[in-house]
């Protein structure tokens, strides 16, 4: 890992420039460093510089941050896109842990993050030396600093087990880790706890608590997937140690003020372990339940109201919540006195606002909103107390509700006799107690779905919420209570009647102009959530509950006050919630907001330009672009020139100044504008070559936006024919580059699909064989089910859109028999996966074309498998196939757009970057899958499928589908279930006929004798006639039974 002094000096100088504060200097240094990354040994030189004690501390820290970002950008890249060579990878892994343990704290944190990134990809299969190295340090070192750092590293590496879905591979990795680490872990834990409880000087106590904190974290990570045998056998020493630590106290490790110390962190982590065992391993935890509940209860009652204890209290309450909602042979929560004591001593004290909470409400409104309304990562006492109420109510709903209703009545009585400030807090607590009691089930997207029938939400809404929001008092009064009332409406938006919401909407909108940041933010959130409420209509389809035309006047009145608040920086700077409401309003109003939307674009573009100087809030940036996109989507089809006149100059500046945070969004909206414009502006011609520059594609956040914009160029290929033809090789090089990185390979397949959908085959036919070879090579090296799925969908799309022989010919030229091999090993597997409707369309039609090939027809086993897959794709059986719902993007929750310490931009797709009815799906040319499939299958495969169905009953539905008579595809045994809804419509008619002495159908008609089965079919024909006459007219019910060859039991 040797580097020359000249290399070290140059690297140090560049890193110094990246933190100079001079924009041009920083950008130039970053470009040079990015260019140097491709040189062999770059990462090793960085590590060598970090090792040097003589290097300036600021340079070392900048180098550590750059190294972490370098690893994050390149470690997951494979094949042609790989920047870090295998030799460099091995050397980095060989030296990283030892270097990290020796580094100062600021550098150690960055190296630990880099190590975590590598371990997520490589551990354990590609980094088998890591675990033995960790164990060796823990067994041999006498230095507490090294022991602590090593255990923290183990905690960092093993944390990945917490986020992964259970699988055989994950269980294998956990087993390997446990077998290599478990005994050392227990030895370290027992020794550290023994020394802590035995008494240590303050400096040693701090180191030991840091070691124990990491050790408890490892315990959680190794137990989170399944209960390893070793940990089950050694529950006693672990839980004895946990309980001993819960009772321990020392000011040397306790927090002060609002910052939790190591003592609070360790006790909170222990409560998390208790909750884990309560949730997953009840039988093994049962012997420890009572002492754990007792000690945690005493801990919660004993801690004071200081903010340093908030996380500990929240985690302790979470454990009690988990225990209270679980059936136990001997449960302490069945005693009414225990429930009453918990409500009195745990719930009530933690649900009433403290002075520090009110201070946060006034002085740090953003943090208050995130903790209260958005359920931020940091748990709060209030939210944990509310969760405890729900948990206790799970098994003792009536009793807990009775106790708390009594508390609510008592609080309302006290509020009438208390000073105004205290009365406001009591009423606020009542609202939150009501929410805690009433909510039994909810989702982030849909809100509350199940409520407690013992709580009358409507009465509470009428008696307290409406009266407060519509009172004659100034809206600036009782801000805390008004915010709580707005939250109540937000929470119960599904349960409150449309008429009541319509009546109170003007009062809600009035609170947008209130100066208090929390109040106007809660009002904005309330409006945004109300507009997302949807109900099922008569046809069973989801539709907005509220009428855009009726709500338009109230909604448009809040837009200008919101934009003025944002532009002036009042309240919460760059208020992401206000901007999200603007986006939702125009997404909801659609055409009803077109005229106002065009006028709103200009102030939005001015805000965008102002934010481009320092785009520091990624969530606000996302919502800002979402608001612009929601307006553009509606306005651009009608007035493309007016929209482009406002936005193109701003986007031009963003591109010219290379505002990296805004590029991913700019590319998406430019794609939308290009799709809609009737006349291509010069900017698009000038921009094209820059879109293919290597630097843009190396920033992973840019890739999906670039693909979206290229899709627009492809769809306008007649205007860009020369550009596209001359740059096709460069486009395919970018395709190969992003395909070789697992983080961008999905975007690579999107790019390929865009080519297949929008470009004539002549544009890329000469490269097609090479293209398929590249994809197959990646498929072979990746083994990713997601990539296999994307590959089959892409190939199916090509088969559907292009001449049928090109793909088979290319595959068989690459390797003889390759097509049949791919069909049997990959294709059939993918067709069993969950697929969206447009994916099923292209997969069905692509497979039908492949089945027409002689090599497939002459392979009976493969042909049979293809037919079985068609049964699933066409949904010919009620229980066949998993069909993904086509959800509405308008209601999707925002993704996590946050940037971490690396200050790297992450991509988040805008919801409104496709025109209404645009070709965003894979099969816009196939409105009816069954009709299209039948047009292909019936003339080519009818007899063949009938023959196969005689030997395989599984194919009978497909045989019915391909037969001459449309009625034949209906199985008579399915009719009662299929037509149950029709019976409600036609039943009265049929009953009326019987009451009049008539019969559903005579035994003979027109000289034809009918059997009972045929009469049954004709009777259901009557039912269908009443329900869907236009459909029934196409069917010959007299012969459906005979032709489908299905008998009735």
């Amino acid at each position: 890992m040797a580097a020359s002094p000249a290399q070290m000096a140059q690297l140090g100088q560049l890193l110094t420039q990246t933190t100079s504060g001079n924009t041009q200097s920083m950008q130039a240094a970053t470009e040079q460093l990015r260019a140097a990354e491709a040189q062999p040994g770059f990462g090793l030189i960085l590590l060598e510089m970090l090792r040097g004690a003589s290097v300036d501390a600021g340079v070392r820290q900048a180098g550590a941050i750059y190294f972490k970002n370098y690893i994050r950008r390149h470690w997951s890249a494979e094949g042609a896109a790989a920047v870090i060579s295998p030799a460099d990878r091995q050397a980095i892994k060989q030296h990283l842990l030892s270097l990290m343990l020796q580094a100062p704290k600021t550098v150690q944190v960055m190296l630990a993050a880099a190590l975590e990134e590598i371990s997520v990809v490589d551990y354990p299969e590609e980094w088998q030396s890591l675990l033995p190295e960790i164990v060796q340090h823990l067994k041999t070192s006498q230095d507490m600093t090294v022991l602590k750092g090593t255990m923290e590293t183990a905690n960092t590496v093993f944390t990945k087990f917490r986020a992964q879905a259970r699988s055989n591979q994950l269980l294998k990795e956990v087993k390997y880790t446990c077998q290599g680490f478990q005994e050392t872990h227990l030895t370290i834990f027992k020794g550290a706890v023994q020394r802590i409880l035995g008494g240590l000087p303050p400096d040693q106590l701090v180191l030991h608590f840091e070691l124990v904190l990491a050790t408890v974290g490892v315990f959680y990570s190794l137990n989170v997937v399944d209960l390893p045998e070793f940990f089950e056998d050694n529950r006693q020493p672990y839980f004895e140690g946990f309980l001993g630590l819960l009772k321990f106290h020392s000011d040397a490790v306790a927090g002060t003020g609002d910052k939790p110390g190591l003592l609070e962190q360790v006790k909170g982590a222990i409560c998390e372990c208790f909750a884990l065992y309560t949730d997953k391993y009840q039988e093994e935890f049962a012997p420890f339940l009572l002492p754990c509940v007792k000690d945690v209860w005493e801990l919660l009652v004993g801690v004071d109201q200081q903010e340093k204890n908030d996380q500990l209290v929240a985690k302790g309450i979470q454990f009690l919540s988990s225990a209270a909602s679980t059936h136990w042979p001997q449960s302490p929560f069945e005693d009414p006195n225990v429930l009453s004591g918990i409500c009195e001593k745990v719930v009530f004290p933690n649900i009433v606002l403290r002075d520090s909470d009110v201070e946060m409400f006034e002085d740090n409104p953003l943090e208050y909103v995130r903790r209260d309304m958005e359920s931020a990562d940091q748990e709060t006492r209030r939210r944990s107390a509310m969760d405890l109420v729900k948990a206790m109510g799970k098994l003792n709903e009536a009793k807990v509700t009775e106790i708390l209703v009594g508390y609510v009545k008592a609080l309302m009585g006290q509020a009438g006799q208390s000073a105004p400030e205290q009365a406001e807090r009591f009423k606020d607590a009542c609202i939150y107690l009501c929410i805690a009691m009433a909510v039994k089930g909810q989702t982030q997207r849909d809100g509350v779905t199940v409520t407690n029938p013992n709580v009358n939400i409507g009465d509470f809404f009428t008696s307290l919420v409406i009266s407060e929001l519509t009172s004659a008092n100034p809206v600036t009064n009782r801000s805390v209570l008004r915010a709580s009332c707005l939250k109540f409406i937000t929470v119960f938006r599904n349960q409150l009647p449309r008429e009541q919401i319509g009546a109170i909407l003007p009062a809600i909108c009035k609170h947008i102009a209130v100066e208090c940041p929390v109040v106007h933010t809660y009002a904005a959130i309330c409006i945004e959530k109300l507009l997302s409420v949807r109900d099922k209509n008569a046809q069973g389809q989801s539709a907005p509950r509220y009428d855009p035309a009726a709500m338009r006047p109230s909604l448009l009145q809040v837009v200008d006050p919101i934009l003025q608040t944002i532009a002036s920086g009042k309240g919460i700077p760059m208020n992401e919630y206000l901007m999200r409401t603007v986006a939702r309003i125009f997404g909801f109003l659609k055409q009803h907001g077109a005229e106002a939307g065009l006028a709103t674009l200009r102030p939005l573009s001015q805000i965008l330009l102002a934010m481009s100087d320092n785009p520091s809030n990624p969530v606000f940036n996302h919502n800002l672009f979402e608001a612009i996109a929601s307006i553009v989507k509606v306005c651009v089809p009608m007035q493309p020139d007016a929209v482009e006149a406002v936005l193109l100059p701003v986007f031009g500046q963003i591109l010219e100044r290379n505002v990296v945070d805004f590029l991913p969004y700019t590319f998406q909206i430019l794609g939308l504008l290009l799709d809609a414009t009737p006349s291509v502006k010069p900017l698009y011609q000038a921009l094209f070559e820059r879109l293919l520059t290597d630097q843009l594609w190396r920033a992973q956040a840019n890739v999906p936006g670039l693909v979206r914009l290229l899709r627009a160029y492809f769809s306008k290929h007649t205007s860009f024919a020369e550009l596209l033809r001359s740059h096709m090789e460069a486009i395919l090089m970018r395709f190969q580059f992003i395909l070789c990185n697992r983080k961008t390979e999905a975007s690579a397949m999107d790019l390929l699909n865009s080519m297949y959908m929008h470009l004539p085959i002549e544009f890329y036919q000469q490269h097609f064989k090479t293209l398929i070879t590249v994809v197959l090579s990646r498929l072979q090296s990746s083994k990713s089910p997601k990539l296999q799925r994307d590959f089959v969908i892409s190939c199916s799309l090509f088969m559907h859109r292009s001449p049928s022989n090109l793909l088979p010919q290319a595959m068989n030229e690459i390797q003889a028999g390759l097509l049949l091999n791919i069909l049997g090993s990959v294709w059939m597997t993918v067709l069993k996966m969950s697929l969206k409707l447009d994916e099923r369309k292209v997969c069905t039609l692509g497979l039908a074309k492949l089945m027409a090939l002689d090599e497939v027809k002459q392979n009976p086993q493969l042909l049979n498998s293809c037919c079985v897959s068609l049964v699933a794709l066409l949904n010919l059986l009620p229980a066949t196939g998993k069909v993904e719902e086509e959800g509405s993007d308008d209601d999707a929750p925002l993704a996590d757009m946050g940037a971490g310490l690396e200050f790297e931009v992450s991509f988040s797709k805008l919801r409104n970057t496709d025109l209404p009815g645009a070709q965003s799906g894979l099969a816009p040319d196939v409105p009816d899958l069954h009709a299209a499939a039948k047009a292909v299958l019936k003339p080519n495969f009818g007899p063949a499928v009938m023959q196969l169905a005689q030997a395989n009953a599984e194919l009978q539905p497909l045989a019915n589908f391909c037969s001459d008579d449309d009625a034949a595809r209906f199985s008579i045994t399915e009719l009662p279930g299929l037509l149950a809804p029709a019976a409600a419509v036609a039943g009265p008619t049929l009953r009326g006929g019987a009451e009049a002495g008539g019969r559903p159908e005579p035994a003979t008609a027109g000289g034809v004798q009918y059997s009972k089965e045929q009469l049954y079919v004709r009777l259901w024909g009557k039912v269908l006639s009443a329900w869907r006459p236009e459909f029934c007219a196409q069917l010959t019910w007299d012969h459906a039974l005979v032709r489908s060859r299905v008998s009735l039991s």
Side-chain angles (χ1 to χ4, degrees):
M1 210 165 69
S4 69
Q7 288 176 313
M8 296 281 285
Q10 184 183 14
L11 183 58
Q13 183 180 2
L14 290 173
L15 289 170
T16 302
Q17 284 181 237
T18 62
T19 59
S20 65
N22 183 301
T23 304
Q24 291 184 345
S25 178
M26 291 169 64
Q27 185 172 347
T30 301
E31 290 177 358
Q32 290 185 59
L33 286 169
R34 289 290 180 92
E37 288 178 3
Q39 300 300 317
F42 176 81
L44 300 178
I45 297 173
L46 259 179
L47 286 183
E48 181 70 20
M49 190 196 70
L50 297 179
R51 184 189 295 276
S54 60
V55 179
D56 178 77
V59 174
R60 290 179 76 181
Q61 185 172 0
I65 294 174
Y66 197 91
F67 179 78
K68 181 188 69 170
N69 294 337
Y70 165 76
I71 294 297
R72 188 162 288 181
R73 281 193 297 272
H74 299 303
W75 200 268
S76 61
E78 299 172 353
V83 170
I84 308 174
S85 69
D88 283 1
R89 289 171 182 262
Q90 193 61 35
I92 288 171
K93 289 187 288 189
Q94 179 183 346
H95 295 287
L96 185 54
L97 177 58
S98 60
L99 175 58
M100 190 198 76
L101 294 176
Q102 299 168 13
K105 185 68 175 179
T106 54
V107 173
Q108 193 175 75
V109 170
M110 296 298 111
L111 293 182
L115 189 148
E116 180 183 11
E117 187 76 21
I118 296 172
S119 68
V120 167
V121 177
D122 285 10
Y123 180 81
E125 289 188 1
E126 301 298 326
W127 199 355
Q128 296 191 2
S129 64
L130 178 60
L131 187 61
E133 187 179 358
I134 289 174
V135 171
Q136 183 66 21
H137 279 295
L138 292 174
K139 282 184 174 181
T140 60
S141 180
Q142 301 300 315
D143 186 340
M144 275 299 300
T145 303
V146 173
L147 288 175
K148 174 186 74 75
T150 306
M151 187 62 76
E152 287 173 346
T153 300
N155 186 31
T156 297
V157 173
F158 304 156
T159 298
K160 76 172 189 173
F161 298 146
R162 303 186 185 193
Q164 296 183 26
R166 184 186 177 94
S167 65
N168 290 335
Q169 180 63 28
L170 179 59
L171 290 170
K172 180 181 175 183
E173 292 180 5
V174 173
K175 182 179 179 180
Y176 163 82
T177 303
C178 286
Q179 289 176 343
F181 195 72
Q182 57 198 15
E183 293 182 3
T184 304
H185 181 266
L186 180 57
T187 301
I188 294 291
F189 176 74
K190 289 169 63 177
V193 172
Q194 184 179 3
R195 290 191 292 274
I196 287 172
L197 300 181
L200 287 170
D203 58 335
Q204 286 296 307
L205 194 60
V206 170
L207 287 172
H208 276 74
F209 258 82
E210 289 176 335
L211 173 62
V212 166
L213 182 60
T215 307
V216 176
V218 168
F219 177 91
Y220 189 99
S221 296
L222 295 183
N223 285 263
V224 72
V225 179
D226 204 351
L227 182 56
E229 183 179 352
F230 177 86
F231 288 93
E232 181 180 355
D233 294 342
N234 289 278
R235 286 171 292 163
Q236 194 73 31
Y238 276 115
F239 281 94
E240 284 180 356
F242 290 157
L243 293 173
L245 290 169
L246 280 183
K247 297 173 183 176
F248 179 83
H249 180 80
S250 172
D251 290 338
V253 287
T256 56
D258 61 348
K259 294 183 179 179
L262 287 167
L263 183 70
E264 291 80 22
Q265 293 178 55
V266 167
K267 291 183 179 183
I270 289 171
C271 290
E272 286 183 306
C273 293
F274 288 172
L276 172 67
Y277 267 65
T278 305
D279 290 336
K280 300 192 69 172
Y281 314 121
Q282 291 90 354
E283 183 179 348
E284 292 79 8
F285 185 64
F288 305 96
L289 173 67
L290 294 179
C292 289
V293 168
K294 173 179 173 293
D295 285 1
V296 171
W297 161 263
E298 292 176 351
L299 175 69
L300 293 174
V301 173
V303 298
D304 57 31
Q305 291 282 315
Q306 291 187 73
E307 291 179 76
K308 70 172 187 176
N309 295 313
D310 286 1
Q311 291 301 292
L312 171 57
V313 170
K315 290 174 181 177
I317 293 177
Q318 285 170 5
F319 162 61
L320 292 183
S321 300
S322 181
S325 62
T326 304
H327 287 284
W328 302 99
Q330 290 182 326
S331 175
F333 301 96
E334 293 177 355
D335 186 346
N337 294 324
V338 172
L339 295 175
S340 183
I342 291 175
C343 290
E344 179 184 350
K345 296 184 178 180
V346 177
V347 173
F348 181 67
N350 289 295
I351 214 165
V352 177
L353 289 179
R354 302 164 295 176
D355 290 343
S356 60
D357 297 321
V358 176
E359 288 176 9
M360 180 181 291
F361 182 96
E362 296 170 350
D363 301 334
N364 192 355
L366 178 59
E367 185 62 22
Y368 184 92
V369 173
R370 284 179 173 170
R371 290 187 183 189
D372 181 57
M373 186 67 89
E374 287 290 303
S375 299
D377 292 339
Q378 187 175 4
E379 294 293 339
T380 64
R381 290 177 183 245
R382 170 175 273 187
R383 189 164 65 251
S384 298
M386 294 172 70
D387 289 341
L388 179 56
V389 170
K390 297 173 191 175
M392 292 191 299
K394 184 176 180 181
L395 301 179
N396 302 279
E397 183 174 86
K399 183 62 181 175
V400 172
T401 303
E402 179 185 348
I403 293 170
L404 290 174
V405 165
Y407 271 107
V408 170
K409 290 179 179 178
L411 276 176
M412 291 298 291
Q414 292 179 40
Q417 304 171 7
S418 303
E421 183 179 343
Q422 193 63 36
E424 182 181 13
R425 294 192 193 185
F426 284 161
K427 289 183 178 180
D428 167 80
C430 288
I431 289 176
Y432 281 84
L433 280 172
C434 180
I435 293 172
M437 288 186 290
V439 176
K440 292 181 63 178
Q442 66 185 126
T443 65
Q444 181 183 6
R445 174 169 171 163
D446 298 325
V448 175
T449 53
V450 184
T451 58
N452 181 350
N454 300 305
V455 179
N456 193 322
I457 297 169
D459 282 354
F460 198 90
F461 176 66
T462 304
S463 62
L464 179 57
V465 176
I466 289 181
S467 60
E468 181 62 33
L469 292 180
T470 59
S471 69
N473 295 321
V475 292
T476 54
N477 287 4
R478 296 196 292 269
S479 297
V480 169
L481 182 55
R482 288 179 181 273
S484 302
C485 291
L486 290 165
K487 174 166 182 172
F488 185 92
I489 298 173
T490 304
V491 170
F492 295 112
R493 58 189 180 272
N494 292 318
Q495 288 69 37
L496 297 173
R498 179 188 316 178
E499 296 74 19
Q500 286 186 316
I501 293 297
I504 202 172
L505 180 64
I508 297 172
C509 293
K510 187 168 60 174
H511 286 78
I512 287 288
V514 173
E515 187 174 344
C516 175
V518 175
V519 172
H520 67 232
T521 299
Y522 275 34
I525 294 173
C526 183
I527 293 168
E528 191 262 328
K529 293 299 183 184
L530 285 172
L531 298 185
S532 69
V533 175
R534 302 176 74 85
D535 295 321
K536 297 287 186 182
N537 58 22
Q539 290 74 38
Q541 298 171 330
S542 177
R545 174 179 293 183
Y546 301 104
D547 178 21
M551 299 186 80
R552 179 180 181 274
S554 295
L555 294 178
L556 291 181
Q557 285 177 6
V558 308
V559 174
D560 282 343
I562 286 177
L563 296 182
Q564 289 170 15
T565 300
I566 292 172
S568 64
K570 292 180 181 178
I572 300 172
M574 291 178 281
N575 192 322
E576 61 214 48
Y577 307 98
L578 296 183
M579 189 55 77
R580 179 164 58 186
T581 300
V582 175
R584 178 69 73 181
I585 286 172
F586 286 104
F588 171 79
L589 292 176
K590 295 184 171 61
Q591 300 300 330
H592 297 283
E595 184 178 346
L598 193 57
T600 306
L601 265 186
R602 193 165 298 281
L604 282 175
S605 66
Q606 292 170 352
I607 293 173
L608 177 61
L609 207 54
M611 293 299 109
S612 67
D613 292 332
N614 183 24
S616 56
N617 185 338
V619 184
F620 175 83
N621 297 341
H622 178 91
N623 291 336
L624 172 57
F625 276 98
E626 194 68 79
I628 292 171
S630 64
I631 295 173
V632 170
K633 182 176 181 178
V634 173
C635 295
V636 76
M638 298 178 293
Q639 302 184 63
D641 292 337
V643 173
E644 288 186 323
V646 174
L647 292 180
L648 288 186
V650 178
F651 288 162
Q653 288 192 49
I654 290 172
L655 293 168
E656 184 179 349
R657 291 159 48 200
N658 195 34
V659 184
V660 293
D661 296 69
F662 287 178
L663 291 181
Y665 300 114
T666 301
F667 293 143
Q668 293 179 72
I669 298 181
L670 282 172
L672 174 61
L673 290 171
L674 181 54
D675 273 340
T677 186
S679 57
V680 176
K681 305 299 185 293
L683 173 68
Y684 299 110
Q685 296 278 354
L687 179 61
F688 186 80
E689 286 194 23
R690 187 188 166 188
L691 295 181
L692 299 177
T693 56
D694 179 73
Q695 183 180 356
L696 282 179
W697 291 82
R698 288 194 178 278
Q700 294 169 8
N702 290 339
V703 170
L706 287 167
V707 171
R708 168 64 184 93
L709 182 49
L710 283 179
R711 190 183 89 197
Y713 279 96
F714 294 162
S715 66
K716 287 258 193 310
H717 60 83
T718 52
S719 301
F720 299 104
E722 187 57 38
L723 268 179
L724 291 170
R725 289 180 188 274
S726 60
H727 289 85
M728 185 53 59
E729 191 169 341
I731 293 172
L732 296 179
M733 286 174 64
R734 298 294 165 259
F735 163 78
Q736 183 176 2
F737 175 78
I738 59 175
L739 181 67
C740 291
N741 188 322
R742 68 186 69 187
K743 293 182 179 180
T744 55
E745 63 187 11
S747 294
M749 301 309 295
D750 288 340
L751 177 59
L752 198 59
N753 292 344
S754 297
M755 287 174 51
Y756 292 161
M757 286 188 65
H758 301 296
L759 282 183
I761 184 68
E762 306 85 58
F763 279 63
Y764 57 89
Q765 185 168 3
Q766 60 178 325
H767 305 287
F768 184 64
K769 180 179 172 182
T770 305
L771 191 64
I772 294 299
T773 304
V774 167
V775 177
L776 289 173
S777 299
R778 176 61 180 162
L779 196 67
Q780 186 175 17
S781 64
S782 171
K783 306 294 184 187
S784 162
K786 172 69 167 61
L787 183 60
Q788 291 179 350
R789 181 182 187 272
D790 291 345
F791 166 76
V792 170
I793 292 170
S794 184
C795 289
S796 299
L797 176 64
F798 181 83
M799 286 294 300
H800 168 57
R801 308 278 302 192
S802 306
S804 302
N805 64 327
L806 286 181
L807 180 64
Q809 180 181 341
M811 284 193 174
N812 289 328
E813 285 178 3
I814 294 169
Q815 180 182 321
L818 179 60
L819 175 64
L820 295 186
N821 186 24
I822 293 288
L823 266 177
S825 61
V826 177
W827 213 293
M828 296 299 110
T829 302
V830 167
L831 297 186
K832 296 175 184 176
M833 296 180 181
S834 177
L835 299 172
K836 295 178 181 178
L837 178 58
D838 63 333
E839 293 168 347
R840 287 195 298 122
K841 286 179 179 180
V842 295
C843 286
T844 299
L845 299 176
L847 182 61
K849 283 189 174 182
L850 286 172
M851 290 168 60
L853 299 173
D854 289 340
E855 54 192 310
V856 178
K857 282 183 179 179
Q858 295 165 10
N859 188 324
Q861 184 177 355
L862 182 57
L863 186 60
N864 186 79
S865 298
C866 292
C867 291
V868 170
S869 295
L870 283 176
V871 172
L873 290 169
L874 291 166
N875 261 2
L876 298 181
L877 289 177
T880 297
K882 300 175 184 177
V883 184
E884 288 188 5
E885 293 293 332
E886 299 288 317
S888 169
D889 283 344
D890 290 341
D891 306 312
L894 289 176
D896 177 13
M897 283 77 65
L901 288 173
E902 69 279 357
F903 301 102
E904 292 262 310
V905 185
S906 60
F907 174 79
S908 192
K909 184 182 184 303
L910 297 173
R911 293 192 295 255
N912 294 289
T913 53
D914 289 309
L915 293 172
Q919 296 177 342
S920 54
L922 296 176
D925 56 329
V926 185
D928 185 335
L929 171 58
H930 276 206
K934 196 159 193 175
V936 177
L937 292 171
K938 186 174 176 180
N940 297 319
F941 300 104
V945 173
M946 295 289 280
Q947 186 175 356
L948 286 171
Q950 292 177 1
N952 185 356
E954 195 177 0
L955 301 183
Q956 186 61 50
L958 186 63
N960 298 340
F961 181 81
C962 294
S963 66
D964 291 334
D965 193 338
D966 285 348
R969 62 176 153 165
F970 291 94
S971 168
I972 301 302
T973 57
E974 296 173 31
L975 276 174
L978 291 172
L979 303 182
V985 178
T989 303
L990 295 173
R991 284 196 299 273
E995 290 166 2
R999 297 174 60 190
E1001 197 67 61
T1004 59
V1008 179
Q1009 184 72 35
Y1010 291 95
S1011 67
K1012 287 190 297 182
E1013 290 82 7
Q1014 289 168 323
L1015 286 173
Y1016 185 82
V1017 174
R1018 292 176 64 81
L1019 172 62
W1020 278 107
K1022 288 283 189 181
V1023 176
L1024 260 190
S1025 296
W1027 186 41
R1028 290 286 189 271
E1030 73 283 4
F1031 178 63
C1032 189
Q1034 303 173 20
L1035 306 179
T1036 308
W1037 288 95
D1038 297 11
H1039 303 290
L1041 176 68
V1042 177
R1043 295 188 180 181
S1044 62
R1045 302 181 181 180
V1046 178
S1047 62
L1048 289 171
S1049 58

